[in-house]
Amino acid sequence: MTIYIGRAASKLCRRFCAETTTEMNLLAENWKNIFGGLILQYVHGVAARGVHYIHRPGPTLQDAGFFLLPELGAQRHYISETVFTFIFLSFILWTFHPFVCKNKRIYTVLIWCRVLAFLCASQFLRIITFFSTQLPGPNYHCREGSKLATLPRPKSILEVFVIKIQGVVYGCGDLIFSSHMIFTLVFIITYHKYGTTRCVKQCAWLIAMVQSLLIIASRKHYTVDVVVAWYTVNLVVFFVEKNLPELPDRTASSLPVSSRDKESRHREETRKLLNGNSGDVTDKRQRQQINGKIPEDSNGDTVHGTIMNAL
């Protein structure tokens, strides 16, 4: 038993080290995309904090979802956040599963480049919409009489660019459309295309629908925020993905060829052609026969024959 566990641990360690080397090479090629995506995440957070300063509480707008779903309230608002946290962490773990699992189809760096592109495009549209029209927040901490409904005037311009955890949880004004649904739908759409387990895909879409209802029941968003998120995110993913290169299939190749490798291979092939050595086995055998040499077959036996020159 000890020997078996030791061998399994050794294989896991080698797999982890090999995958780390592969992903580091991909990160060196795509670090600008990852870094740019993270910067835009920060910009989205600053924009959501900025709209909180100009939010003005008022009467809750008439909403069909509020009539159909009872309010969870301050005591049970954590249910929606718990479901969202489960979706978020589950997707992150899935993207890093190639480091430990033998059966894998994706590269972690490349999948996150794609996800960040979807998120940034959707969040850019979201920033435009919630700055265009500020609706009174329906959540309990955004209503009239709450101290959190409006942020006090910043003492300095730098205070606006500092994102606090309290501001993320108790934000107001950034309504149309739902940021929670952006992350949820982008993650599920990505897994639906690149995941392998059909049952998990079906459960993921079911959880997305439950998450939509919980967001409305917790009064974090109006129903329109969730509805707009459903078709906007799907359209954004559809159009953005058309302009992105297809992800390489790991079953076909071990590692996508980088631009540096392509240049080095091109130089090597050019050098071989200039030197008259293309590396083609058939071409070598033909040149050997033309030069009057006797080639050998795969068994090591000599093949006797004569070459007739065509006049």
Side-chain angles (χ1 to χ4, degrees):
M1 179 64 68
T2 304
I3 297 176
Y4 176 77
I5 295 176
R7 290 178 178 175
S10 178
K11 290 181 179 179
L12 180 61
C13 182
R14 289 197 301 268
R15 185 182 303 127
F16 181 84
C17 293
E19 194 67 26
T20 301
T21 303
T22 300
E23 295 293 344
M24 291 301 294
N25 292 333
L26 290 174
L27 184 61
E29 288 285 330
N30 300 275
W31 70 270
K32 293 182 181 179
N33 298 329
I34 298 292
F35 183 72
L38 295 177
I39 290 297
L40 288 175
Q41 294 301 305
Y42 169 75
V43 172
H44 173 261
V46 172
R49 178 175 173 81
V51 78
H52 196 171
Y53 283 104
I54 60 178
H55 173 258
R56 294 294 179 267
T60 303
L61 302 180
Q62 184 175 349
D63 191 280
F66 294 175
F67 285 110
L68 298 175
L69 298 174
E71 183 177 359
L72 294 177
Q75 293 77 17
R76 293 176 292 177
H77 75 282
Y78 67 90
I79 300 177
S80 176
E81 288 297 329
T82 302
V83 175
F84 176 76
T85 303
F86 171 76
I87 297 173
F88 193 89
L89 295 179
S90 299
F91 182 80
I92 291 179
L93 292 177
W94 173 74
T95 59
F96 283 91
H97 83 276
F99 286 86
V100 293
C101 296
K102 185 176 181 180
N103 296 326
K104 50 206 174 186
R105 291 183 54 191
I106 63 169
Y107 294 100
T108 303
V109 171
L110 298 183
I111 205 72
W112 274 108
C113 287
R114 222 170 187 82
V115 168
L116 288 173
F118 299 152
L119 291 176
C120 292
S122 301
Q123 289 168 341
F124 177 75
L125 296 177
R126 181 175 187 261
I127 292 172
I128 294 176
T129 54
F130 68 61
F131 266 115
S132 299
T133 302
Q134 291 83 44
L135 301 179
N139 210 337
Y140 68 92
H141 64 267
C142 298
R143 300 170 187 171
E144 292 180 317
S146 175
K147 297 180 180 179
L148 301 174
T150 303
L151 293 178
R153 291 177 60 89
K155 298 179 181 179
S156 64
I157 190 64
L158 295 178
E159 185 177 345
V160 181
F161 295 94
V162 177
I163 301 177
K164 300 179 181 179
I165 298 179
Q166 183 180 4
V168 175
V169 178
Y170 297 102
C172 298
D174 55 329
L175 293 176
I176 300 176
F177 42 97
S178 172
S179 179
H180 283 65
M181 289 308 302
I182 290 178
F183 281 92
T184 299
L185 291 173
V186 166
F187 291 166
I188 293 177
I189 292 172
T190 304
Y191 182 81
H192 183 83
K193 183 172 182 179
Y194 300 104
T196 56
T197 307
R198 183 179 180 181
C199 179
V200 175
K201 295 178 182 180
Q202 296 173 347
C203 291
W205 285 111
L206 178 61
I207 293 176
M209 290 186 285
V210 173
Q211 173 71 7
S212 301
L213 298 177
L214 289 175
I215 289 175
I216 299 172
S218 61
R219 303 299 190 261
K220 293 180 180 178
H221 286 275
Y222 291 103
T223 305
V224 64
D225 304 339
V226 176
V227 173
V228 171
W230 267 93
Y231 62 76
T232 302
V233 174
N234 279 278
L235 288 174
V236 166
V237 172
F238 174 77
F239 286 107
V240 171
E241 194 170 31
K242 292 178 65 176
N243 298 318
L244 295 177
E246 284 293 332
L247 286 182
D249 189 2
R250 299 198 66 157
T251 59
S253 59
S254 59
L255 184 67
V257 181
S258 62
S259 58
R260 188 176 303 174
D261 293 338
K262 290 180 180 178
E263 292 177 359
S264 61
R265 290 184 182 181
H266 179 70
R267 292 196 200 99
E268 183 67 21
E269 291 176 358
T270 304
R271 185 184 64 81
K272 289 181 178 181
L273 290 174
L274 292 176
N275 295 334
N277 183 16
S278 62
D280 190 359
V281 178
T282 306
D283 185 58
K284 288 181 180 179
R285 184 172 299 175
Q286 290 176 355
R287 287 202 300 269
Q288 289 175 354
Q289 292 177 352
I290 293 173
N291 293 333
K293 295 182 180 180
I294 300 175
E296 294 183 354
D297 61 5
S298 58
N299 296 327
D301 298 332
T302 59
V303 180
H304 300 281
T306 59
I307 301 177
M308 302 295 293
N309 294 325
L311 297 179

